[in-house]
Amino acid sequence: MGNARAKVRAFLYVGGVVNSGKISAQALRVAIVGGGPRGLAAVEALADHMRDRTVAVTVFETHRAPGAGPNYASEQTPLNLLNIPLRAIDLPVPKHGQSFDAWLDGAYGPDEYPPRAVIGAYLRARFAALRERLPMEVIGRHVIACEPGKGGWLLRTDEGSDHGPFDEVLLCLGHQPVKDRQIKRWREHAREADAVLCEAYPSAALLAATDWQGRTVAIRGFGLAMIDVTRVLTEGLGGRFETESDGRLTYIASGREPAKLVPFSLNGIPPAPKPATAAADQPYIVEERERLAFRDAVASVMELADGDLEPIFDILAAMAGARLPEHDKGAVLAWLRDGAEDDPDVPDDEQPAEAMRLYLAMALGKAKPSVGYVTGQVWRHLQNDLRIAYNPAPKTAAVAEALIPFDDGLKRFSYGPPAEATARLLALIDAGKLTLRRVDDPDIELADGGWRIAENGGADVATAMVDSVLAGPNIAKVSSPLIADLRERGFVSQLGKGLGASVRPDGRIIDSNGEPVEGLSLLGRLANGSVIATDSLHDCFGEAVRRWARRVADKC
C-alpha cells in the first residue's frame, strides 16, 4: 500500500481515473464532516457508486489519522482493546485493498481481542490507499456552522474560514459533547479542592493527569470504558498479572498505581463477558430460519407502530428458551416482559463480584448459562438482522422509544467485555485494588480534597475522579457548536425523547417541519432511533453508507 501524500491537494475522480487540477462546474462537490471509520466507509461507497460524473470530495477531520479517528488512533496504548474477537470481525474488503485478516498476516489468533490501535493502523492504511486511488482534500479543522448558500451548502471552520459551496454534506461526527450539570459542578469543585477530575480518553492524557500512586480513585461508570481505565491505571503503571496453577489470575502491584479504584454507576450491575472461544459461542449462533423469523418479528413491530415489542419478545424468548438447559420460552418471555433487568438466575444487584465470577464461568463454558446470559448472546448474533429489518423501514417515535432502550439494556449481556478482562477485574478485587462495594448509585458528596462516596454504611473519599461515561446520542443535549447551530435553526429535529436526530433511511436529515433537508445528511450514533445498533465498527461499513452513496449517485 502506498503512503498518503504529504501535501493536501484537491483531486477529481472520473470513472475510475484520478485527475488533479481545477474543479469543473460539472463536478459533484461533497463534504464529509468526520473522517473516522464511518467517513472512510462513506468515501469508499461513494467511489463505488459514482458513474461517469466527476466528484470532488473534501473531508473535515481534526485527528491526524484520517480513517481511524480518535477511537481507533494508532498511537494509543495497546491496553485499549477491541470489544470483539478477531473471529467476529467481518469488514467488507475494499475493491483496491486488503482484508483485515490479510493485513494482519496471522499476528493474532481468532479468539484474541486485538488492540484498537491495530485496527486503527489498518483503517489509516485503508484511507491512505483510497487517497492514492481517489485523493481528496483533507482539512484538519472543526466545522462549527453549516448553512445553505448560493449554489450549495457553506461550511465554516473554527478559525473563521468558509468552505464550499457543496452539493452534498454528510455528517459522520461520532461521539459529541453534551451538557452535563453534574460534571460541570464536579469540575468547579475539583479546582477549588485541589482534586483531580479527568476523562477516560485519551489514555495518554489520563496517565499524565496526576501522580496516581496511593490515591483512591472514583470511576464514574461501570461499563467498557471503566475497564479501559482500570487497565491504564494498573498495567499502564507497571502492574502485571500472573496465572496461578489453577488458572486464576493474580495481580502483582508495581507500587505506582492507585491504592484503590472505586467504580460506580446508577444500577451497579456488572456487564457479563462474551463467550471466551468460538466453541463456547457455538450454542448461541443463530440459524438462517431463526434470522428470517426474527426479521419478520421486527417488521411486525414496525407495522404496529405503537411501541409494543411483543412480537420481538416472543421470537427472542423462543430462541433463547431452546438454548437454556433448565428453562423454557415462558421463563424468558416473562423476564423480557418484566424489563429484562435483573437476571433471574444471578443475584447481580446484591453481590456484583460474585455475579462476575459466575458470568465468567458461563463465558468459559464451565457453568450453566443464565436466562440473561443466553438471551444476550442470541441478541448479539441478531444485531445485523436487527439493522436490516429496522433501519430502512418507516418508524414512529413510539417504536424507537421502546426498542432503543431495550437494545441498550441488553448490551450488558450482548456486548460485555472479553472474558480475560473480567478475570483481571476479579484479580484486582482479590488484591484489594478495586472495590465494588459502592457501585450501586451511591451518595456522592463534595468533600475536602475530593468526593465522599457512601453506600451500605461505609464510605470512601476519592481524591481523583475519572469520568468513563460516554455521552449518549440525545440530540437535544448535544452541545457541539455545529449540532447546536443546526438544531437552533430548525435544520435538525429529534425523533423522540432521549433519541438522536430524525433522518431518512438514505441519511437525509428531517427538519423541524418534518421535511427532508436536501443536500444535508447524517449517519451514525447521532441518528440513534432513526437507525439502531450504531455503536459498532461493522455498522460504520454497513448498508447505511451505501444507501446514502446510492442516493447521491442517483442525483448525477
Side-chain angles (χ1 to χ4, degrees):
M1 294 186 182
N3 293 323
R5 300 183 189 277
K7 186 177 180 180
V8 173
R9 292 183 291 165
F11 286 82
L12 303 178
Y13 176 75
V14 188
V17 179
V18 173
N19 298 285
S20 63
K22 186 177 180 180
I23 298 175
S24 70
Q26 290 75 36
L28 183 70
R29 300 156 297 179
V30 177
I32 296 179
V33 183
R38 202 177 303 271
L40 164 63
V43 179
E44 287 182 343
L46 186 62
D48 291 344
H49 285 88
M50 291 304 295
R51 300 182 182 89
D52 296 327
R53 187 174 175 182
T54 311
V55 59
V57 178
T58 302
V59 176
F60 293 84
E61 173 55 54
T62 59
H63 196 270
R64 64 180 181 178
N71 287 350
Y72 299 97
S74 53
E75 68 271 16
Q76 69 183 293
T77 173
L79 294 174
N80 292 342
L81 305 181
L82 287 173
N83 194 37
I84 49 175
L86 181 59
R87 59 182 155 80
I89 299 175
D90 185 23
L91 301 179
V93 182
K95 286 187 176 180
H96 300 270
Q98 292 179 294
S99 70
F100 185 47
D101 278 345
W103 187 85
L104 281 176
D105 194 24
Y108 294 88
D111 291 328
E112 289 187 85
Y113 290 72
R116 291 204 292 268
V118 170
I119 202 162
Y122 167 72
L123 295 171
R124 190 172 183 175
R126 188 160 165 165
F127 189 89
L130 182 62
R131 289 185 71 182
E132 291 294 328
R133 180 171 66 97
L134 171 57
M136 65 206 78
E137 186 177 14
V138 180
I139 297 176
R141 308 298 308 193
H142 289 285
V143 175
I144 61 171
C146 175
E147 59 184 37
K150 186 177 181 180
W153 289 87
L154 301 175
L155 302 183
R156 174 161 293 178
T157 52
D158 52 358
E159 88 287 11
S161 62
D162 292 328
H163 301 266
F166 297 101
D167 301 298
E168 288 284 337
V169 174
L170 173 63
L171 307 181
C172 298
L173 297 173
H175 288 90
Q176 293 292 289
V178 300
K179 299 175 183 177
D180 190 321
R181 294 179 180 177
Q182 184 180 58
I183 290 296
K184 181 180 179 181
R185 184 172 68 254
W186 286 357
R187 187 173 290 115
E188 293 170 352
H189 172 68
R191 287 194 295 265
E192 296 171 356
D194 195 26
V196 175
L197 174 62
C198 53
E199 296 181 353
Y201 305 109
S203 297
L206 173 62
L207 275 179
T210 187
D211 179 3
W212 294 98
Q213 183 176 355
R215 287 182 180 269
T216 293
V217 180
I219 306 174
R220 182 186 187 229
F222 198 37
L224 298 173
M226 179 274 291
I227 292 173
D228 281 346
V229 171
T230 61
R231 284 200 196 100
V232 169
L233 296 185
T234 53
E235 294 175 83
L237 290 169
R240 71 183 193 278
F241 293 88
E242 293 184 354
T243 305
E244 302 295 331
S245 59
D246 61 0
R248 288 187 308 107
L249 291 180
T250 299
Y251 180 68
I252 309 300
S254 69
R256 297 167 52 206
E257 63 273 273
K260 186 185 295 184
L261 299 172
V262 187
F264 64 90
S265 67
L266 289 178
N267 59 30
I269 299 176
K274 287 186 288 295
T277 64
D281 195 32
Q282 181 64 37
Y284 310 114
I285 292 177
V286 180
E287 298 178 4
E288 183 64 20
R289 61 175 179 79
E290 293 176 308
R291 293 185 184 280
L292 296 177
F294 175 75
R295 293 182 196 178
D296 287 342
V298 176
S300 296
V301 168
M302 307 301 282
E303 291 171 4
L304 289 171
D306 59 2
D308 184 357
L309 302 184
E310 188 66 17
I312 291 176
F313 291 169
D314 188 71
I315 186 63
L316 183 59
M319 295 164 68
R323 291 165 169 84
L324 279 162
E326 295 183 354
H327 292 283
D328 56 16
K329 173 183 175 180
V332 182
L333 188 59
W335 181 66
L336 292 172
R337 287 171 174 169
D338 195 40
E341 293 183 357
D342 296 335
D343 192 329
D345 296 326
V346 181
D348 48 14
D349 58 338
E350 297 177 2
Q351 298 178 316
E354 293 311 307
M356 289 169 62
R357 295 185 200 279
L358 184 53
Y359 285 134
L360 177 60
M362 295 178 197
L364 295 171
K366 297 179 178 180
K368 293 178 181 179
S370 65
V371 166
Y373 195 81
V374 171
T375 306
Q377 303 317 311
V378 171
W379 187 254
R380 173 171 53 86
H381 282 289
L382 290 169
Q383 289 290 287
N384 193 49
D385 300 280
L386 177 62
R387 284 189 285 262
I388 289 171
Y390 182 92
N391 289 355
K395 56 193 64 73
T396 64
V399 169
E401 288 170 352
L403 189 51
I404 296 297
F406 174 74
D407 179 49
D408 287 343
L410 274 187
K411 283 180 180 176
R412 77 177 186 98
F413 294 113
S414 58
Y415 276 94
E420 179 75 5
T422 296
R424 294 186 179 212
L425 289 178
L426 289 169
L428 290 172
I429 292 170
D430 292 340
K433 288 294 183 181
L434 188 146
T435 177
L436 299 185
R437 291 196 308 272
R438 324 244 188 274
V439 295
D440 186 4
D441 195 17
D443 293 327
I444 300 177
E445 302 173 2
L446 304 184
D448 290 342
W451 298 264
R452 183 177 183 273
I453 302 172
E455 188 185 44
N456 296 331
D460 289 299
V461 175
T463 61
M465 175 82 73
V466 180
D467 182 15
S468 73
V469 175
L470 301 180
N474 184 342
I475 202 72
K477 293 186 176 181
V478 173
S479 58
S480 61
L482 175 58
I483 295 300
D485 179 65
L486 290 171
R487 185 181 60 225
E488 290 167 6
R489 292 194 291 154
F491 285 119
V492 172
S493 63
Q494 189 172 32
L495 176 62
K497 184 178 180 181
L499 300 177
S502 182
V503 304
R504 290 282 184 91
D506 59 17
R508 282 179 294 171
I509 294 175
I510 297 174
D511 65 18
S512 56
N513 295 318
E515 297 296 327
V517 182
E518 293 303 325
L520 184 61
S521 300
L522 185 153
L523 295 176
R525 73 188 322 265
L526 289 186
N528 191 43
S530 294
V531 290
I532 199 168
T534 58
D535 286 343
S536 160
L537 186 60
H538 291 117
D539 184 65
C540 292
F541 290 86
E543 187 60 30
V545 293
R546 291 189 283 272
R547 283 194 296 270
W548 169 80
R550 284 194 294 270
R551 179 185 62 78
V552 173
D554 287 344
K555 294 177 63 173
C556 302

